[in-house]
Amino acid sequence: MVSEKLISAFKTKIEAANTISIIPHLNPDGDAMGSALGLMHALKNLGKKPSVIVPTAFPKFLSWLNGVDEIVVFEENEDQAKSTITESDLLIYLDFNAYKRVGETMEGFIANLQLPSIMIDHHPYPDEIADVMISVTAASSTCELACNVLKLSGWSQYIDSNAAECFYTGIMTDTGSLNYNSSNPDTYRTVADLIEIGIDKDKVHQLLFQSNSFNRMRLLGYVLSEKVTLIPECKVAYLWLTKEELEKYNFQPGDTEGFVNYPLSIEGINASAFFMEKDEQIKCSFRSQGDFPVNKFSELFFNGGGHRNAAGGRSDFDMEGSLKRFLSEFPKFYQDFIKA
Ligand code: 5GP
Ligand code: MN
């Protein structure tokens, strides 16, 4: 999965450092949070002084992860975040591969730093953002990859049950509990190793997937019954939520996580798009099955990217303009894909 040369470069950088800043992408998801905190626990066990700096707030459904109370949120505590980062011997970027994925304010700050850096990530088309670039698109998640990098480094013993629980979390959230993105047997070996370390797997699933607020369930019910439109000739569905609709259901960050996946379970639907109003912009999420590349679509029309089957982006148009753009561009993109 990772060459000996890269592992050796990774070890050299870690061994030379004492204070280490671990940085995942903005709006961190389970994989970003799990890999950051998992690595933090392992590096502490190795005798290092790691700090986790997240660009923007993390969703409530991940607030039980061990170590979250130590996290510094850049957007909320810029001075502290900047001094922690500047005083580090090493930066580790997790679950992203382009500076813009940490958001505008933080991007300008980290892109100009002259500190040793490592990237561990599983998204395609990486920019050269670090001295040591560990990029494996075949990995289910950055959590799986980070776990393997530690193992290949001969540091398995530093993955304690806290680290294992964090890594397990990211593998589960990035694969929909081993539903998609999980055809590689290595993923299951990693999962088996993590369970062997002694995590309470049932507890993790309970906390991740069975701790919905009633409001979130009602919002899901509303969006599925009232806000999904199918375009059968393009095998796509789209759904959308305005700020007013979100407020009506007392929206909390993370509440719409996973909504975009539901239309994929409709017969004949192979792709799904979700648009929601967020901070003066429209946040977009795209999902697909098989070869259909939603990352390309998002990159071309919605300032985004991601994986072939799971991508995100944003639009500076209002909701009406964004949906219009989607409705005019998707059919052409779909036809070009069919013809190719
Ligand atoms: P989500 O729809 O859950 O926000 O994102 C799905 C996937 O696309 C995730 O793997 C995420 O890291 C990636 N992603 C989300 N937004 C962007 C974006 O604006 N640019 C790029 N390159 N990737 C994104
Ligand atoms: Mn990921």
Side-chain angles (χ1 to χ4, degrees), residues 31 95 122-123 142 174 307:
D31 192 29
D95 203 35
H122 69 133
H123 294 89
T142 297
D174 259 26
H307 306 280

Side-chain angles (χ1 to χ4, degrees), residues 1-2 120-122 134-136 139-150:
M1 201 180 224
V2 185
I120 303 177
D121 177 63
H122 69 133
I134 303 181
S135 167
V136 179
S140 68
S141 51
T142 297
C143 279
E144 180 188 354
L145 181 56
C147 210
N148 282 316
V149 167
L150 289 169

